[in-house]
């Protein structure tokens, strides 16, 4: 398929209100593309667990950015959901799909975080797979925001290092793959430019805010117990603990070249992101 087959048609962005999907939609619109930002609460309604919402979202779309439900605690079966979605997408005339997964080959909470890849590869659609590491946006839009505001981030990450990546960069790679030729059949492993421990990442935020914020290393069991006491379902808490445990074990401590490969430029550094996020006031207390 050439780019002509997907241009001029709207691009369906799943997870369109989330950390990456919102940015993908914004960057596509800024580039003059027609966008359908879809989710349960999005402009276009789309629910992975309600197939009756899929057809209208897909109608006339040329390409899809796919955020799946792999990190949700509910039963998620990509063999059923992603396969069925891809079949419907192909029938609706979609030519290209860009799938967001994760930069890990290990299960977390008994689940594969790359479980949708085979379904997308076998879909007959032109595909690109993105495998990013941990997002910097976990600190200002995600699960670590409350800890940063409270001045203490408590995690079972030990002194493990991770090359945190900015979701603006993940979105930029997605937009390139959705709108340009040359990305089909590519798996992009995406990381930021620098390995940091959680303590070092928190120190970047402390420096950017002028606040005192510290990182406290917990055991996995302590962490799960704290989350469960806050009302988080245990299976979800265990999955997040497993994911963070991979960092503790050093599994994420390597850089990847996907941003450079896809965009021809380096990824953004954590300190630049931290200054920009601090300026929004999101961490003010
Ligand atoms: N966080 C990280 O550091 C990280 C790192 C690597 C990979 N990932 C991967 O990134 C993915 C998450 O993407 P993200 O961070 O961009 O999203 P996100 O910020 O976690 O937001 C989730 C999105 O999915 C939508 N959603 C939730 N339930 C839905 C449902 N039943 N049907 C349809 N849409 C639903 C939400 O909108 P509504 O609530 O409106 O439906 C929202 O737009 C996961 O696959 C994860 O493995 C995350």
């Amino acid at each position: 398929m050439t780019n002509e087959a997907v241009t001029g048609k709207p691009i369906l962005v799943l997870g369109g209100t989330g950390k990456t999907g919102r940015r993908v939609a914004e960057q596509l619109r800024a580039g003059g593309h027609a966008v359908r930002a879809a989710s349960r609460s999005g402009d276009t309604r789309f629910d992975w667990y309600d197939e009756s919402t899929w057809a209208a979202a897909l109608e006339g779309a040329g390409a899809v950015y796919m955020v799946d439900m792999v990190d949700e605690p509910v039963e998620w079966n990509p063999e059923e959901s992603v396969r069925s979605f891809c079949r419907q997408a192909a029938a609706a005339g979609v030519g290209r799909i860009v799938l967001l997964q994760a930069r890990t080959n290990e299960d977390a909470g008994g689940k594969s975080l790359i479980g949708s890849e085979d379904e997308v590869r076998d879909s007959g659609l032109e595909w690109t797979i993105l495998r990013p590491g941990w997002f910097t946006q976990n600190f200002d839009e995600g699960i670590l925001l409350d800890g940063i505001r409270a001045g203490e981030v408590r995690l079972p990450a030990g002194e493990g290092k991770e090359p945190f990546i900015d979701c603006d960069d993940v979105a930029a790679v997605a937009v390139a793959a959705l709108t340009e030729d040359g990305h089909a059949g590519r798996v992009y492993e995406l990381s930021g430019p620098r390995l940091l421990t959680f303590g070092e990442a928190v120190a970047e935020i402390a420096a950017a805010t002028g606040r005192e914020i510290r990182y406290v290393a917990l055991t996995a069991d302590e962490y799960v117990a704290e989350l469960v006491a806050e009302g988080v379902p245990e299976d979800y808490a265990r999955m997040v603990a497993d994911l963070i445990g991979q960092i503790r074990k050093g599994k994420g401590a390597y850089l990847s070249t996907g941003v450079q490969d896809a965009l021809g430029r380096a990824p953004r550094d954590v300190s630049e992101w931290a200054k920009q996020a601090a300026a929004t006031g999101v961490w003010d207390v």
Side-chain angles (χ1 to χ4, degrees):
M1 167 151 326
T2 69
N3 210 34
E4 274 170 36
V6 294
T7 49
K9 295 180 175 181
I11 297 174
L12 174 61
V13 177
L14 302 186
T17 56
K19 291 186 285 301
T20 61
R22 185 165 52 77
R23 290 173 166 82
V24 171
E26 281 168 8
Q27 292 184 25
L28 284 170
R29 287 194 182 109
H33 299 279
V35 175
R36 250 178 235 159
S39 73
R40 294 167 306 176
S41 65
D43 296 342
T44 297
R45 194 172 129 63
F46 179 90
D47 188 340
W48 274 111
Y49 298 109
D50 179 2
E51 266 198 58
S52 71
T53 62
W54 296 6
L58 281 166
E59 193 182 349
V64 176
Y65 175 68
M66 182 187 282
V67 177
D68 66 15
M69 299 303 300
V70 78
D71 64 349
E72 285 289 307
V74 289
E75 275 308 309
W76 166 249
N77 182 348
E79 282 182 29
E80 280 175 18
S81 300
V82 176
R83 188 182 299 167
S84 173
F85 177 84
C86 287
R87 209 179 292 129
Q88 292 189 34
V94 168
R96 180 176 288 175
I97 194 155
V98 176
L99 171 67
L100 178 69
Q101 296 283 269
R103 200 182 71 142
T104 173
N105 291 315
E106 287 193 11
D107 288 3
K111 277 184 180 177
S112 167
L113 291 180
I114 52 173
S116 298
E117 290 192 5
D118 286 346
E119 306 308 324
V120 167
R121 287 178 212 266
D122 294 343
S123 66
L125 300 169
E126 207 174 83
W127 57 263
T128 306
I129 292 168
L130 312 186
R131 289 182 172 185
W134 270 66
F135 300 157
T136 52
Q137 277 72 16
N138 292 324
F139 291 101
D140 62 330
E141 299 177 19
I143 55 167
L144 305 177
L145 175 58
D146 288 348
I148 295 290
R149 284 192 174 140
E152 194 168 275
V153 175
R154 301 166 63 79
L155 293 172
E159 296 304 311
K161 289 186 184 249
E162 171 72 20
F164 298 92
I165 182 161
D166 191 319
C167 286
D168 282 345
D169 283 338
V170 178
V173 175
V175 167
L178 287 162
T179 61
E180 298 170 1
D181 285 336
H183 303 284
R186 301 288 303 267
V187 178
Y188 289 118
E189 289 221 338
L190 306 173
S191 83
R194 195 154 54 103
L195 292 169
L196 293 98
T197 63
F198 269 88
E200 289 165 343
V202 166
E204 294 277 352
I205 297 167
T209 56
R211 290 183 46 216
E212 265 189 41
I213 312 168
R214 63 188 197 122
Y215 162 66
V216 178
L218 302 178
T219 66
D221 286 345
E222 284 167 345
Y223 178 66
V224 170
E226 287 193 4
L227 287 191
V228 169
E230 288 165 17
V232 174
E234 184 164 355
D235 57 352
Y236 186 69
R238 189 58 64 187
M239 188 201 75
V240 180
D242 281 0
L243 268 177
I244 298 169
Q246 292 175 16
I247 296 176
R248 185 179 63 249
K249 293 174 197 155
K251 298 282 174 77
Y254 62 99
L255 302 178
S256 297
T257 60
V259 173
Q260 183 72 40
D261 296 344
L263 304 177
R265 65 159 173 84
R268 206 153 74 119
D269 191 74
V270 167
S271 56
E272 198 189 318
W273 155 81
K275 281 182 204 131
Q276 193 184 40
T280 69
V282 66
W283 293 315
D284 293 349
V285 285

